Amino acid sequence: MERNSSDEDEEDHQHLIPQNDTRSRHREDPTNGGSSFQIEDILSRRKISLNKRYLLAAVSLTISIGLIFLFTDLRQQFSSFKVDPLSSRVKESELRALYLLRQQQLELLSIWNGTTSANSSVRVAVAKQISLNNEIQEELLSPHKTGNYSGSVVANLYERCVKVDQKLSDRRTVEWKPRSDKFLFAICLSGQMSNHLICLEKHMFFAALLDRVLVIPSSKFDYQYDRVIDVERINTCLGRNVVVSFDQFKKSRPPHIDRFICYFSSPQLCYVDDEHIKKLKGLGVSIERKLESPWSEDIKKPSKRNVDEVRRSFKSDDDVIAIGDVFYADMEQDWVMQPGGPINHKCKTLIEPNKLILLTAQRFIQTFLGNNFIALHFRRHGFLKFCNAKAPSCFYPIPQAAECIARMVERSNGAVIYLSTDAAESETSLLQSLVVVDGKIVPLVKRPPRNSAEKWDALLYRHGIEDDSQVDAMLDKTICAMSSVFIGASGSTFTEDILRLRKDWGTSSMCDEYLCRGEEPNFIAEDE
């Protein structure tokens, strides 16, 4: 039985999202030709003057640490260490020096990638500093590469794929304290489940800004969210009732929408067609007024909006308002992209897989993967034509993809790769045969068909949700979000939702990146 990711049959124009809308990007560490996710696309906008300031700081730091190294007999201090744990014998200052060198190296590599070949003098200077940085690190670590000293400690010191520091203390948040008699009806229509979850998270932000309770749509109008996420847990995280299901809302009052406000006015109001209006009315929902929009906003070119604009434009004395569709809304992205999101709460994240899916993912990992595995979202269905419409294309030949994956295995020392894909067996078989490191094939693991002898997925069968495609997709996301390193598909909202979970759960790695990031496909087909 083939396992496919949730965006398999999604409309093609909804598969691909602009790179500047990426929900989670990490600091770049392109030691093998690829680039890591970043929270913002810093490198593409870095000015040469900024490069020079960074370079000056890098040179100063290198000189300072070099002087420490020259005038401190570190070799003598380190030489006594043989078997004892490093933490009990090495002075804090020496560990700090190694840490600073590593941080400097990452920044130098970022500057290198952000500098064009035309700025040859800057690139030469940066290259020299990277070389000097490496020499100092090697000198500091060289005493531990001989004798009986455990090499694993040195490897840990020089670990590339460390977890990303999310800087939770720097979060900017708003309080969500809604009036119990004011409601916001969430309208999410674009794309499939991944898009809708992103849209739902943005609706929570809107509800918090407008002091309203959020109404989760009916499964007859939208997806059945409570099969994949724990809706009631959102109230627990806030310590108050901030969301209600459509059925709860319907029991408390006649289901109607007093005002239907569209975030986007073009090309179609609210991204809503007559069929969706009929579905709402079929649920017994009456709509008092015609669709309206407070501004001119094109879904293809969304403007950047701030909190004050939203509050002013969507403020209403009506009891029930609906806002739609906000998936493409570019509103306070710095807030939305923070770990945990823009709302103050006591959990790691507001939208996460429900307990059944979480436990099933953990049991699968314990059964097949272990604690050190790479997860790969290898998106293929519908990607060939529409990746080629982008510049550069994001659809890579299998041999080239295998090379990129193998480099990541070497870099992260991952033991096995979890494969989340909608690719045909012919493609995955070829990929498996080509992912080779040190002469050994690295296993690509997919979730197997149901086997009564295996108990890792028993919870899903016990609760009758084992054949739900959305549950399958969320299980895939959850396993990927728990990996040591994640390789995603550029342009896929499925990948973006995994990145959101990794960011919020604190599992993001400095090695996380898009497949073959920074490379162009070595062969691209002509247009039709």
Side-chain angles (χ1 to χ4, degrees):
M1 179 176 64
E2 187 68 25
R3 307 275 188 166
N4 295 336
S5 54
S6 69
D7 43 4
E8 178 186 43
D9 298 314
E10 191 174 331
E11 291 298 324
D12 289 317
H13 72 279
Q14 293 159 349
H15 287 316
L16 307 177
I17 59 177
Q19 287 301 118
N20 62 356
D21 287 339
T22 302
R23 293 183 53 78
S24 180
R25 295 177 180 169
H26 302 169
R27 189 184 298 270
E28 193 162 297
D29 185 13
T31 56
N32 54 21
S35 302
S36 302
F37 295 117
Q38 295 192 3
I39 292 178
E40 294 182 7
D41 196 7
I42 300 172
L43 297 182
S44 65
R45 298 187 293 271
R46 182 177 273 120
K47 304 296 184 182
I48 293 305
S49 59
L50 183 60
N51 282 343
K52 291 180 178 178
R53 289 199 296 271
Y54 271 122
L55 185 58
L56 180 59
V59 172
S60 301
L61 179 59
T62 303
I63 292 173
S64 300
I65 296 176
L67 289 173
I68 293 173
F69 178 72
L70 288 173
F71 293 102
T72 305
D73 192 3
L74 290 178
R75 286 185 177 277
Q76 184 176 355
Q77 294 179 33
F78 276 120
S79 63
S80 62
F81 301 110
K82 299 297 180 183
V83 181
D84 292 340
L86 186 64
S87 59
S88 64
R89 306 294 301 275
V90 180
K91 292 182 180 180
E92 182 179 351
S93 61
E94 294 158 356
L95 290 175
R96 181 64 178 167
L98 287 168
Y99 171 79
L100 289 173
L101 282 166
R102 179 58 182 151
Q103 295 301 110
Q104 181 199 48
Q105 183 187 58
L106 292 173
E107 188 58 46
L108 286 168
L109 288 167
S110 295
I111 296 172
W112 171 269
N113 274 338
T115 307
T116 64
S117 57
N119 305 307
S120 57
S121 60
V122 174
R123 289 175 67 87
V124 169
V126 171
K128 289 181 179 179
Q129 293 306 311
I130 292 174
S131 177
L132 179 58
N133 177 290
N134 287 334
E135 288 180 20
I136 295 175
Q137 290 193 61
E138 287 298 318
E139 286 297 317
L140 286 172
L141 292 171
S142 60
H144 309 298
K145 297 179 180 179
T146 60
N148 297 324
Y149 185 78
S150 172
S152 63
V153 179
V154 176
N156 289 335
L157 266 177
Y158 203 56
E159 178 62 60
R160 291 174 180 269
C161 300
V162 296
K163 299 301 179 186
V164 174
D165 181 5
Q166 300 292 0
K167 299 181 180 179
L168 296 177
S169 60
D170 297 336
R171 285 183 67 208
R172 295 176 62 196
T173 59
V174 296
E175 297 293 332
W176 190 1
K177 296 181 178 180
R179 292 178 53 180
S180 60
D181 60 341
K182 300 294 182 182
F183 298 89
L184 170 58
F185 207 103
I187 303 293
C188 295
L189 302 174
S190 64
Q192 290 202 356
M193 177 63 87
S194 296
N195 301 52
H196 286 226
L197 291 175
I198 294 170
C199 175
L200 193 63
E201 184 181 33
K202 291 184 178 182
H203 266 297
M204 291 180 184
F205 194 11
F206 275 72
L209 294 175
L210 301 173
D211 301 321
R212 290 179 177 271
V213 176
L214 186 66
V215 180
I216 305 296
S218 166
S219 59
K220 295 178 181 179
F221 178 75
D222 201 336
Y223 288 104
Q224 189 171 348
Y225 289 103
D226 59 4
R227 289 176 76 89
V228 294
I229 64 173
D230 189 344
V231 174
E232 189 55 39
R233 177 182 166 278
I234 298 171
N235 291 327
T236 302
C237 292
L238 271 295
R240 63 186 73 92
N241 289 329
V242 295
V243 298
V244 295
S245 68
F246 176 77
D247 290 338
Q248 291 171 323
F249 170 72
K250 191 174 181 179
K251 289 177 182 178
S252 66
R253 60 178 56 233
H256 70 276
I257 297 174
D258 298 314
R259 189 179 178 195
F260 207 130
I261 312 173
C262 301
Y263 189 95
F264 289 99
S265 58
S266 177
Q268 187 174 21
L269 281 172
C270 286
Y271 216 66
V272 174
D273 55 21
D274 292 339
E275 186 64 30
H276 287 104
I277 297 296
K278 288 179 181 178
K279 284 185 178 181
L280 281 176
K281 292 182 177 179
L283 292 170
V285 179
S286 61
I287 302 175
E288 300 297 325
R289 307 178 199 172
K290 292 182 178 181
L291 277 61
E292 59 179 287
S293 180
W295 50 38
S296 177
E297 191 72 47
D298 190 339
I299 201 168
K300 296 180 180 179
K301 297 180 180 180
S303 305
K304 292 184 180 297
R305 302 289 184 176
N306 59 43
V307 166
D308 292 335
E309 287 178 296
V310 168
R311 283 186 172 131
R312 182 172 60 252
S313 300
F314 293 89
K315 183 179 179 181
S316 175
D317 292 329
D318 294 295
D319 290 341
V320 183
I321 66 171
I323 299 178
D325 178 321
V326 297
F327 170 73
Y328 292 101
D330 187 357
M331 194 269 289
E332 300 287 10
Q333 285 295 92
D334 290 345
W335 286 31
V336 172
M337 289 163 54
Q338 294 177 114
I343 298 170
N344 186 26
H345 57 86
K346 60 184 180 182
C347 300
K348 288 185 177 181
T349 184
L350 290 178
I351 298 179
E352 73 173 23
N354 62 36
K355 193 68 173 178
L356 292 176
I357 294 176
L358 279 171
L359 287 174
T360 301
Q362 291 171 1
R363 291 178 177 185
F364 180 86
I365 292 170
Q366 183 177 357
T367 302
F368 294 100
L369 303 173
N371 68 345
N372 182 29
F373 71 97
I374 298 169
L376 168 65
H377 177 216
F378 192 54
R379 179 69 192 283
R380 304 295 276 184
H381 181 87
F383 248 31
L384 175 58
K385 179 178 178 180
F386 291 93
C387 273
N388 284 357
K390 299 175 64 177
S393 173
C394 54
F395 193 89
Y396 297 92
I398 296 290
Q400 184 179 2
E403 289 180 3
C404 296
I405 296 165
R407 288 199 299 267
M408 179 57 73
V409 173
E410 291 178 324
R411 182 179 174 190
S412 65
N413 199 30
V416 67
I417 298 172
Y418 177 68
L419 182 61
S420 171
T421 188
D422 55 10
E425 187 67 27
S426 58
E427 293 184 80
T428 57
S429 295
L430 177 59
L431 183 68
Q432 174 64 93
S433 68
L434 293 176
V435 180
V436 179
V437 175
D438 295 331
K440 298 179 180 179
I441 292 178
V442 181
L444 302 182
V445 179
K446 294 190 290 184
R447 285 185 292 116
R450 170 66 175 166
N451 186 332
S452 60
E454 298 174 359
K455 301 301 180 183
W456 63 269
D457 56 353
L459 286 174
L460 303 184
Y461 281 82
R462 196 180 305 161
H463 291 82
I465 58 174
E466 72 281 0
D467 292 324
D468 188 305
S469 61
Q470 299 308 322
V471 172
D472 258 6
M474 184 59 79
L475 180 56
D476 253 12
K477 287 182 183 179
T478 308
I479 295 170
C480 290
M482 292 179 174
S483 64
S484 303
V485 172
F486 175 62
I487 304 172
S490 175
S492 167
T493 53
F494 191 87
T495 279
E496 299 308 316
D497 204 34
I498 293 170
L499 292 174
R500 176 188 64 82
L501 283 173
R502 290 178 67 78
K503 166 175 58 70
D504 292 353
W505 284 349
T507 58
S508 297
S509 162
M510 294 290 287
C511 292
D512 290 358
E513 65 180 27
Y514 296 121
L515 178 64
C516 296
R517 180 75 185 268
E519 296 184 28
E520 293 189 18
N522 58 30
F523 186 90
I524 300 176
E526 296 179 356
D527 293 335
E528 294 179 5

